Amino acid sequence: MRTPFYFLLLAAVLLAACSGDGEHRRALDAAYSLINDRPDSALDILDAMPQPEATLLSKGQLRRWQLLRLMAQNKCDTVFRSDSLQRVLTDYYDQHGTPNERMWAHYLLGRAYYDMGEMPMALKEYLSAEESADTLSEGCDFRTLMSVHGQTAFVYRMQSMPKEEEKELMKYSCLAHRIGDIYNWIRGYEMTVGTHFAMGDTAQCLIVTEKCRKMYEEHDMLNEAAGVYPTAIYIYLTKAQYGKARKLMDIFENQSGLFDSQGNIERGREEYYYSQALYHLGCHRPDSALLCLNKLLSHHLRYDVMAYKGILSVYRQKDIPDSIVKYAALYENSLDKFLDEDHAENMAHMTALHRYGRVQKMAYEKNVEAERFKRFFLLVSITAVVLFLLAFFSYRKKRKSKQEELERLRSKYHDTMESLLKAEEETSLLRNGRSELLSMKEEEIATLHKRLQIMQLEISELPLSDKETLLKNNEVVKDFKKKTIPKAKMDLPSDEEWNRLWDVLKSTFPNYYAFITQNKELTTQEKKVCLLTIMFFSNTEMTVLLGTSMQRITNAKTSANSKLFFEKNAKTLLPNLRRSLQIKK
């Protein structure tokens, strides 16, 4: 009684596991559907699931849970402090994942390296993520790929590589347009203004700014259209074109929606206060410029150099020596501090590059190992091909030997038949003459009849395929085939030639020969069509040999098939005849 109980218990456990597997899959699918628009809700779903190590999750589901959770955390702006899980995921999905999954894994590893300050490694993973994407597939996650290009552009900006940054921003913009994200389509193009400015092409900055303004307005994004001007304003101010600058400043400050009621700009854009100060200085309003520079100074340490430089210019314009000395010192100190921080940042980049070089060396060693494996695989493949060719040629040799054996058998049978016919003819002549040779010839005929019967029995025991090979290789059949060659202009086969072809069928399939020739319902034309059909002559060839049309050949096949096998169908005549060959040995 314990054995049935054991199996029942095992079935229950398996059923529960399958049910749990379905629930986990549905939960993972639900979390994935929320990743882009509501990542916090997706994270709640994933965290609400039982801990993977305590469940019956398969390895694939565990990796998917880990991947989706990292994706949701990244969307929620989580700072990654470790790359260990991301590396596990890239190793797994490089072997087992879809193009989208490989792209996600490499992108998340790049985000981890970026948060850890490893810019070269981050760039390497972003480029790997881009290579993993299958952009020809409709199922490609273009939104994530767009993020990959955006992050790559940011890394290039940190590395002061404006040309490469511009290329990535344009890819970002094109992908946004492809998925119908109008704002990011224009925004990606707008961000190239900064790359043109970094390359010193201020004319292109103004051209792109105006294009983006028009694009925003065409799509009723009026605030965004007014918000494209900060760089253009700065360019006009540095060229002392204060009228043009003021016009754009009025639009930017009043229509962009980036300023509060007190005239304070949105957080993160405080650099604009410097442009305001430059305008006031150009219009000889140093006190107004000083107010703007003090607002700039109160926000972030990174603006100190810019603020002190502006304040120094204010006091030079006001010609106050004490303040000039004071702010000259402050400007110098802030500039030294900035340069020290820049030097430290450059050292960090150098350290990162050194570590990256070590990783590249490890990658090179892995590539060498991979090349060795490829050479080994190539050697195995070549060996396999050689063995296959040897087997193939051996098979062909055996097949040729088999055909030669069949040809010898056919030739021997033909010679025996010829001898028999000759002997019968001579016997007939001798019988009329009452010659003493009559008894000898009759014995010879009896011997030939026995030999012919033995050979007929040998042929009858051959497989159907060998019999068909005998038919195809017969000289009489080949002569008939020659008559069907286009432009041969040969006469129709004579009655004697048709008789020889019937004899070929009789020698190979005697019972089938009787089945066709003795059927009184078949016309002479239909019998010939059956004969040519079983010898694999096409309808076109039959029209040449019978001197008739394609339609009449089809009609004859249909009629013969109906009379022999009760099927009114020309196409099934050959299969029916072949089946009858197997029965009528």
Side-chain angles (χ1 to χ4, degrees):
M1 294 297 291
R2 293 182 62 184
T3 302
F5 175 76
Y6 171 77
F7 282 113
L8 286 173
L9 180 61
L10 179 60
V13 170
L14 290 174
L15 184 62
C18 292
S19 174
D21 183 71
E23 291 178 3
H24 290 313
R25 187 178 294 108
R26 285 191 292 273
L28 293 172
D29 290 342
Y32 173 67
S33 67
L34 298 172
I35 284 287
N36 287 319
D37 299 323
R38 295 166 56 193
D40 52 342
S41 299
L43 195 58
D44 289 340
I45 291 174
L46 294 167
D47 287 340
M49 292 176 63
Q51 290 301 307
E53 58 270 15
T55 68
L56 296 176
L57 282 181
S58 65
K59 185 175 182 180
Q61 284 189 321
L62 171 61
R63 294 291 178 252
R64 189 172 183 227
W65 180 86
Q66 292 169 331
L67 181 67
L68 292 178
R69 192 166 186 275
L70 285 177
M71 288 173 64
Q73 288 177 327
N74 179 63
K75 293 284 184 179
C76 293
D77 295 325
T78 300
V79 177
F80 296 120
R81 303 297 183 188
S82 171
D83 63 341
S84 56
L85 179 56
Q86 286 88 335
R87 285 190 286 108
V88 169
L89 291 175
T90 53
D91 289 343
Y92 176 79
Y93 283 113
D94 278 345
Q95 297 295 324
H96 307 289
T98 63
N100 280 342
E101 289 168 337
R102 290 194 292 272
M103 174 176 64
W104 297 334
H106 282 284
Y107 173 57
L108 290 169
L109 181 55
R111 293 289 296 127
Y113 283 134
Y114 175 82
D115 289 344
M116 295 164 63
E118 300 281 356
M119 294 298 174
M121 294 297 292
L123 181 60
K124 175 179 176 294
E125 294 304 322
Y126 291 152
L127 295 178
S128 295
E130 180 183 347
E131 292 173 359
S132 299
D134 182 7
T135 56
L136 298 179
S137 170
E138 289 297 324
C140 179
D141 183 0
F142 290 107
R143 183 166 293 278
T144 298
L145 183 57
M146 187 176 75
S147 298
V148 171
H149 286 298
Q151 292 296 326
T152 305
F154 191 72
V155 171
Y156 281 135
R157 183 186 306 171
M158 299 289 288
Q159 302 292 326
S160 299
M161 302 169 70
K163 287 187 179 180
E164 287 73 13
E165 179 188 354
E166 181 190 6
K167 291 177 184 177
E168 294 301 318
L169 288 173
M170 291 305 298
K171 291 178 183 178
Y172 174 93
S173 178
C174 290
L175 286 173
H177 184 268
R178 180 167 184 168
I179 64 176
D181 187 344
I182 302 300
Y183 171 73
N184 281 303
W185 167 45
I186 306 172
R187 178 60 180 154
Y189 186 39
E190 181 191 351
M191 287 190 289
T192 63
V193 171
T195 64
H196 294 303
F197 187 81
M199 290 185 284
D201 192 352
T202 56
Q204 189 65 21
C205 289
L206 298 176
I207 292 172
V208 174
T209 297
E210 188 60 22
K211 285 184 179 179
C212 290
R213 179 193 64 79
K214 291 180 179 179
M215 292 166 70
Y216 278 129
E217 288 181 350
E218 287 172 0
H219 292 88
D220 296 325
M221 299 181 186
L222 302 183
N223 289 345
E224 288 78 4
V228 300
Y229 289 125
T231 303
I233 291 169
Y234 182 79
I235 291 171
Y236 286 134
L237 290 172
T238 57
K239 294 182 178 181
Q241 297 177 356
Y242 297 110
K244 291 182 178 180
R246 182 69 261 172
K247 182 180 177 180
L248 298 185
M249 290 172 73
D250 288 340
I251 297 173
F252 179 62
E253 293 172 9
N254 297 319
Q255 299 178 26
S256 66
L258 299 174
F259 294 82
D260 62 18
S261 57
Q262 283 76 39
N264 298 313
I265 198 169
E266 183 181 84
R267 186 175 179 82
R269 297 174 179 264
E270 293 87 353
E271 192 171 353
Y272 179 67
Y273 294 136
Y274 186 72
S275 294
Q276 287 181 324
L278 288 180
Y279 174 76
H280 290 306
L281 281 171
C283 295
H284 302 286
R285 295 199 290 267
D287 292 336
S288 297
L290 191 59
L291 289 174
C292 296
L293 293 168
N294 284 328
K295 288 171 69 174
L296 178 64
L297 191 61
S298 66
H299 279 90
H300 198 282
L301 184 64
R302 61 181 282 235
Y303 299 128
D304 283 1
V305 176
M306 190 182 299
Y308 286 132
K309 180 181 179 182
I311 294 173
L312 180 59
S313 298
V314 167
Y315 286 113
R316 281 176 176 167
Q317 192 176 91
K318 296 179 74 172
D319 194 22
I320 303 177
D322 291 343
S323 296
I324 292 174
V325 173
K326 174 184 175 182
Y327 284 100
L330 289 173
Y331 172 59
E332 184 179 357
N333 290 336
S334 62
L335 184 61
D336 288 341
K337 185 182 294 185
F338 174 78
L339 292 175
D340 288 342
E341 290 178 353
D342 188 54
H343 177 71
E345 186 175 346
N346 288 335
M347 287 298 295
H349 287 169
M350 291 292 291
T351 302
L353 286 171
H354 175 68
R355 286 196 291 267
Y356 179 67
R358 291 177 60 191
V359 172
Q360 288 292 85
K361 182 180 178 182
M362 293 171 61
Y364 172 77
E365 292 174 352
K366 287 185 177 180
N367 286 336
V368 170
E369 185 178 349
E371 284 297 322
R372 288 176 184 165
F373 176 77
K374 284 170 63 177
R375 287 195 293 270
F376 172 75
F377 179 76
L378 181 62
L379 179 61
V380 171
S381 300
I382 293 173
T383 303
V385 170
V386 170
L387 292 175
F388 170 78
L389 291 175
L390 289 174
F392 174 73
F393 286 119
S394 176
Y395 166 76
R396 285 191 61 180
K397 185 177 180 181
K398 288 182 180 179
R399 183 179 176 183
K400 184 178 179 181
S401 176
K402 179 70 173 179
Q403 289 179 343
E404 291 174 351
E405 182 182 346
L406 290 173
E407 180 61 25
R408 284 195 297 272
L409 178 61
R410 185 202 63 77
S411 179
K412 185 178 178 182
Y413 180 89
H414 181 267
D415 293 343
T416 303
M417 179 64 77
E418 289 289 331
S419 299
L420 175 61
L421 292 174
K422 183 178 179 181
E424 286 179 341
E425 184 180 356
E426 291 176 352
T427 300
S428 177
L429 293 173
L430 291 172
R431 185 178 289 114
N432 293 332
R434 301 290 182 180
S435 171
E436 294 179 357
L437 295 175
L438 178 60
S439 59
M440 294 174 61
K441 287 295 180 181
E442 288 177 343
E443 289 179 5
E444 183 181 352
I445 289 171
T447 302
L448 289 171
H449 268 297
K450 289 181 181 180
R451 187 183 302 170
L452 190 62
Q453 288 174 356
I454 292 171
M455 295 179 68
Q456 286 176 339
L457 179 61
E458 186 177 350
I459 292 174
S460 68
E461 295 300 324
L462 289 173
L464 178 60
S465 59
D466 287 350
K467 293 180 181 179
E468 291 177 342
T469 301
L470 281 174
L471 287 178
K472 292 178 182 178
N473 293 333
N474 190 279
E475 292 300 326
V476 177
V477 176
K478 290 180 179 179
D479 289 341
F480 267 69
K481 283 285 184 180
K482 290 177 182 178
K483 290 179 178 292
T484 65
I485 298 173
K487 300 181 180 180
K489 294 184 180 180
M490 294 183 178
D491 296 330
L492 295 178
S494 63
D495 290 341
E496 183 181 352
E497 287 173 321
W498 279 109
N499 289 334
R500 285 204 296 272
L501 189 62
W502 280 111
D503 287 341
V504 171
L505 180 65
K506 182 179 179 181
S507 67
T508 311
F509 298 104
N511 292 338
Y512 178 73
Y513 166 81
F515 172 64
I516 295 295
T517 57
Q518 295 176 12
N519 190 302
K520 296 180 180 180
E521 294 185 13
L522 295 176
T523 65
T524 302
Q525 187 84 328
E526 290 168 354
K527 290 178 181 179
K528 288 181 178 180
V529 167
C530 290
L531 172 64
L532 294 173
T533 299
I534 202 60
M535 291 185 174
F536 299 100
F537 283 84
S538 68
N539 286 4
T540 304
E541 292 172 331
M542 292 185 199
T543 61
V544 176
L545 295 172
L546 296 173
T548 185
S549 66
M550 187 75 73
Q551 184 60 49
R552 289 191 177 183
I553 294 297
T554 302
N555 293 342
K557 281 188 170 185
T558 303
S559 177
N561 202 17
S562 176
K563 292 175 182 179
L564 293 172
F565 306 108
F566 309 103
E567 289 187 23
K568 286 190 175 183
N569 189 338
K571 293 181 179 179
T572 59
L573 177 61
L574 179 58
N576 288 336
L577 289 174
R578 293 188 83 245
R579 279 196 294 273
S580 73
L581 290 180
Q582 293 174 312
I583 297 171
K584 301 176 184 300
K585 294 183 179 179

